[in-house]
Amino acid sequence: MRKPLVAAVFALALAGAGAAPAVAAGAPAADPAAQATQAAQAAPASVGKVAVADKDTITSTVNDLVTSATATVGRITQPSAQAVNFAGTVSLSNCSGSVVRMPASADNDPALVMTNGHCLESGFPAAGQVIVDQASSRTFGLLNSAGTRVATLRASKLSYGTMTDTDVALYQLTSTYAQIKSSYGIDALTLNDTHPTAGTAISVVSGYWKRIYSCTVDGFAYRLKEGDWTWKDSVRYTSACNTIGGTSGSPVVDDATGKVVAVNNTGNEDGERCTVNNPCEVDANGNVTVRQGINYAQETYQIPACFGVGNKLDLSRSGCVLPRP
C-alpha cells in the first residue's frame, strides 16, 4: 500500500523532489483552427486549376476538396487533451485524495472526498470489512491548480470505506460543491462511469507530494492480491508511473477527458509474491505473476451507480456492485 514512509521521503529528497511538481510534457499539438485556415486558403488555387480541366478532373478535384474539408472539420470537433493539474486534489495526513462528484451530482449536494480504504484514520479495514455512514471530522487540505493549499475542508462522515474487492473510501464534507466553487474557484473532479481502456494516457495526481505522474494504462489484473486483501479488475500502469509512499488515494485522471477513472493504491516494491507492499496478479486460472516496480490502481467507474439524489449512498440501487457490510 502506498502510504508515506521515511524511506520514501529520503528517496524523494535525494531525487530533488523539492523542485517544481512534475507535469506531463510533450510537443504541442497541431492547431486545428490553423489547419482549417490553411485548407480554406488553398481552396481558391485548387478551384482555379479546376476551371481549365476536363469534366472528370473537375469531379475528382471537387470530391477531394470535400473529403479534405470534412477531415478538417473532424479534426476541429475532436476533444483535445485536458491540461491535468492539482485543482480539486487534497492532501491528507497520510495519503492523497480528491474532491469528486458523480456524473449526476448537483451543485448543492454535499461534496465528497475520495481516497483509499487503507488511508482511513482508523487504520486498514480487515478483509471482508465494509464501513458505511460512520461519523468523522477528518480534515483535508484543498489544493488549487498550482498545488498551493488554499483551504481546509472537513468531513461530516465517512460514507463508504473498504479494502474488499477494491480499495476506496468516500468522505462526505460539510461543504457543498457550490460553496467550494464560490469560495475558492475550484471544481470537483468527475468520476467517469465507464470502464477504463488499455492504452489510455493518464495522470496520477498526488496532493500529498504535489507531484503528477504521467503514463498509460498498461492493462488490467483479473485479481490483485496483497497480504490478506484481494482486489478485482485492477488497473496496471506502464512503468513511467513509479508512484511512491504518500501517493495512495491519488485520483487517476484520463488526460483526454479530465475525468477520474481510478484511484491509485499500491505497487510491487521488492519483487516478493503477494505480500504487503508486493502485490501479485492472479489470472482467471489461478496463475500468479509478479511485476516488481509496477504500480496499480482500483477502478472507480462502478461507484456512481451506488450514489443517489443528494450524493446519498445506497448500496441497494440498481447497478451498484460495491461490497456491502
Side-chain angles (χ1 to χ4, degrees), residues 178-295:
Q179 288 170 335
I180 294 172
K181 174 71 172 180
S182 174
S183 297
Y184 313 110
I186 295 174
D187 291 310
L189 303 178
T190 299
L191 295 185
N192 199 353
D193 57 4
T194 58
H195 193 286
T197 304
T200 298
I202 54 173
S203 296
V204 182
V205 189
S206 172
Y208 185 91
W209 289 116
K210 300 178 178 60
R211 181 176 177 183
I212 299 175
Y213 300 80
S214 298
C215 62
T216 60
V217 175
D218 184 53
F220 306 94
Y222 175 74
R223 297 289 184 268
L224 192 66
K225 181 172 176 55
E226 180 173 343
D228 295 333
W229 300 276
T230 300
W231 304 305
K232 297 180 178 179
D233 196 22
S234 303
V235 174
R236 179 177 62 247
Y237 308 141
T238 52
S239 59
C241 282
N242 54 341
T243 52
I244 61 174
T247 63
S248 284
S250 299
V252 180
V253 179
D254 182 327
D255 289 351
T257 66
K259 294 183 178 180
V260 177
V261 296
V263 57
N264 179 69
N265 80 310
T266 194
N268 188 294
E269 297 180 356
D270 307 310
E272 295 180 4
R273 179 185 170 108
C274 313
T275 62
V276 173
N277 296 323
N278 292 283
C280 62
E281 297 183 23
V282 184
D283 68 17
N285 297 317
N287 300 310
V288 175
T289 301
V290 173
R291 303 177 190 267
Q292 184 175 4
I294 294 300
N295 299 288

Side-chain angles (χ1 to χ4, degrees), residues 66-145:
V66 171
T67 299
S68 176
T70 301
T72 299
V73 171
R75 285 194 296 270
I76 292 172
T77 56
Q78 290 298 317
S80 59
Q82 305 294 308
V84 177
N85 56 49
F86 296 97
T89 62
V90 300
S91 58
L92 284 68
S93 57
N94 60 345
C95 289
S96 299
S98 57
V99 180
V100 296
R101 65 187 300 155
M102 309 303 155
S105 292
D107 290 345
N108 289 323
D109 288 343
L112 300 170
V113 161
M114 181 177 71
T115 185
N116 284 146
H118 78 257
C119 293
L120 296 180
E121 62 268 49
S122 56
F124 292 7
Q129 183 180 10
V130 177
I131 305 167
V132 298
D133 293 332
Q134 178 177 286
S136 173
S137 57
R138 192 170 193 180
T139 58
F140 312 92
L142 177 66
L143 306 185
N144 64 13
S145 60

Side-chain angles (χ1 to χ4, degrees), residues 27-35 75:
D31 184 351
Q35 291 174 332
R75 285 194 296 270

Side-chain angles (χ1 to χ4, degrees), residues 104-106 108-112 172 177 307-313:
S105 292
N108 289 323
D109 288 343
L112 300 170
Q172 179 175 297
Y177 298 116
F307 283 80
V309 176
N311 270 352
K312 182 174 176 58
L313 177 70

